[in-house]
Amino acid sequence: MFDRRDRYSKDNIPYLERRIESNEQKLAGLMNRPSNAAVKPGEQEKLEQAVRTDKQSIVDQHARSVFIKECLRDELQYFQQSQYHVSKLHQGWSQERVKYAELQVDNWRALSEEVENMPTGD
């Protein structure tokens, strides 16, 4: 269970944050350029879209992390409840076995008393 958590909860948020910062710096550099400087058409929109996409990816990864933690909690809770049910089952079974063993002891005692009272012919 914890191995699955470790395997599935990996994210690349620090990398995305560095990439957002880099793209925002590039975008600020484009904005601060003089208007007559050569800029590729669509470069600013491309950087803005990359920043939006990376920010959305961070939000999605945070949501996934929360979902994984909730699943882990639910799985642990289910496991504990299963253990409690198995414990109750064994307790009930052993209590019934003790009760029936006591009844059998009483039956054997009664039989023993009857056998003791039987004529032996000596």
Side-chain angles (χ1 to χ4, degrees):
M1 175 172 56
F2 292 110
D3 291 338
R4 278 186 282 130
R5 181 205 54 187
D6 293 341
R7 187 175 17 176
Y8 293 134
S9 67
K10 292 181 181 171
D11 58 34
N12 59 350
I13 292 176
Y15 168 73
L16 289 173
E17 288 173 342
R18 287 191 305 271
R19 197 163 85 176
I20 288 171
E21 185 178 321
S22 169
N23 285 341
E24 285 177 342
Q25 288 174 356
K26 289 178 187 176
L27 194 57
L30 283 177
M31 298 281 203
N32 292 335
R33 282 188 182 175
S35 60
N36 59 357
V39 177
K40 291 181 183 176
E43 186 174 354
Q44 182 177 352
E45 292 82 15
K46 182 177 135 185
L47 286 173
E48 288 171 349
Q49 180 62 32
V51 168
R52 278 194 301 271
T53 303
D54 290 346
K55 285 183 179 181
Q56 183 60 44
S57 180
I58 288 174
V59 169
D60 293 343
Q61 288 183 23
H62 277 297
R64 182 173 186 221
S65 173
V66 169
F67 178 71
I68 289 170
K69 288 176 184 172
E70 287 179 3
C71 288
L72 182 68
R73 183 204 55 187
D74 290 346
E75 192 170 342
L76 281 171
Q77 187 177 22
Y78 180 79
F79 177 71
Q80 276 190 326
Q81 286 176 346
S82 297
Q83 280 184 321
Y84 296 149
H85 289 303
V86 169
S87 295
K88 288 286 189 186
L89 178 73
H90 283 287
Q91 286 174 354
W93 179 80
S94 63
Q95 287 171 355
E96 283 186 28
R97 296 298 301 170
V98 166
K99 183 174 87 175
Y100 288 118
E102 289 171 353
L103 288 174
Q104 274 191 326
V105 166
D106 291 340
N107 289 340
W108 282 109
R109 280 195 187 120
L111 179 65
S112 174
E113 288 173 10
E114 291 296 324
V115 170
E116 291 287 325
N117 294 331
M118 289 176 73
T120 56
D122 290 335

